[in-house]
Every structure is written in C-alpha cells, then in structure tokens.
Amino acid sequence: MKKVVFIMLLMLAALNGYSQDPWNPIRTYCEIVGTSNLTGTKVKIEIDFGQEQKYWSKHSDNFLVDADGKEIKFNSMVDALNYMARFGWKFEQAYVITESSTMSKNNVYHYLLSKELRGDENANSGIYIKGDHESEQVKDKASKEKPAKKKREIGDDIY
C-alpha cells in the first residue's frame, strides 16, 4: 500500500513541475527596422529581439550580419522578410516613418514579426547581429591570447 501511495505522490508532483511544454508554445516577437542607403539600391536591417543595448553603440550593434560577421544588405524589405521566414518568423504588422533632414526625406520601415518557440528553442537561433558577433570575437581573442599556464607536476622520486 505504501508503494502505491508513494507512486501516486510522485505522479502528482510531476504534474506540478514547470518546463516549457512543446504542445503549448510560447510566442515571441521581434522588430526589424529597414533603412535604405543613399542610392536607394540596398536596405540595411536592424533587429530588435528586446535585448539589452549598450548606450554608446545601441544602433550600430543591432545590424544583421552573417556567421562571419560581415553585414548583410538586402535588396528590399521583402527580401529581409524572406530571410527571416527561413528561420520560422512570421509577419504580423508593418508601419513606415518618414524622417526628413535638410537635404532629403528618408523612409524607415518597421516590421513586427512573431515566432512560436517550442521546448529549448532560442528566439534568435541562426540569426546574428553585429553586437553579439563582436562580443564573441573578443571572448575568442582573449582566450587565444592568454594560454593557460601548466602547473608543474612534482613527482614522488623516492621509489
């Protein structure tokens, strides 16, 4: 009888445990902001996953880069949407803000995307931004420059 009660208590405790349920995915959002260059032929994409940003470099750290750290430029915002769709992101909403300077007017495109995360999936898996890539390079460089010192093993020479 004790075994049955113990097994039932374990089953009850397992029901109350928390983990990310693959059958109930969590919806997460990101915003891509596109600005065209002076010639209007390419679009630079900034991505905001809601991550913490540094004060001095908050705009330059969010540009989309490839795995090597080279900045990716897209032909249009639709090209950027197609790129994000490869990673499971879905379009939700878009709006445009026109910024005018003394010389010209520039459109800034804001697209809101969403993705459902299941299990241990990460929101920005496969997508690299400049700030993350640079911080990884600094870590890699520091680990390569300072090799760990080997401790000299002192053996027992009595035998």
Side-chain angles (χ1 to χ4, degrees):
M1 181 67 181
K2 289 181 182 179
K3 288 181 183 178
V4 173
V5 171
F6 181 70
I7 291 172
M8 292 186 76
L9 285 174
L10 282 177
M11 290 174 60
L12 184 63
L15 290 175
N16 291 333
Y18 175 76
S19 66
Q20 207 168 15
D21 189 1
W23 291 283
N24 295 319
I26 295 174
R27 182 170 292 234
T28 187
Y29 295 90
C30 84
E31 179 183 34
I32 59 174
V33 179
T35 54
S36 59
N37 59 6
L38 292 175
T39 59
T41 57
K42 298 286 181 181
V43 178
K44 283 176 107 174
I45 300 296
E46 287 182 70
I47 296 187
D48 181 11
F49 290 109
Q51 71 274 17
E52 185 177 345
Q53 298 177 355
K54 299 173 187 168
Y55 180 74
W56 295 107
S57 60
K58 63 182 173 183
H59 293 294
S60 63
D61 282 351
N62 291 338
F63 285 110
L64 191 63
V65 294
D66 60 8
D68 298 328
K70 184 180 174 189
E71 193 171 314
I72 301 174
K73 293 187 180 178
F74 296 95
N75 295 322
S76 66
M77 286 301 289
V78 174
D79 189 18
L81 280 176
N82 289 334
Y83 180 82
M84 294 297 286
R86 286 186 232 149
F87 298 102
W89 289 94
K90 295 181 181 178
F91 175 78
E92 293 289 329
Q93 182 180 1
Y95 61 95
V96 179
I97 296 176
T98 303
E99 296 177 346
S100 60
S101 65
T102 57
M103 299 291 284
S104 65
K105 292 183 178 182
N106 190 18
N107 289 333
V108 180
Y109 303 94
H110 296 259
Y111 283 37
L112 185 65
L113 308 175
S114 69
K115 181 179 184 179
E116 291 184 353
L117 299 179
R118 290 180 166 77
D120 293 336
E121 188 178 8
N122 194 359
N124 57 348
S125 59
I127 299 173
Y128 304 99
I129 59 174
K130 190 174 182 180
D132 290 344
H133 189 74
E134 287 176 354
S135 63
E136 286 177 14
Q137 284 181 339
V138 169
K139 287 178 188 175
D140 290 343
K141 189 176 180 181
S143 65
K144 289 178 184 177
E145 287 178 357
K146 297 180 182 178
K149 292 182 180 179
K150 282 188 174 181
K151 289 186 177 180
R152 193 174 130 195
E153 292 183 24
I154 300 173
D156 191 4
D157 295 336
I158 295 174
Y159 298 107

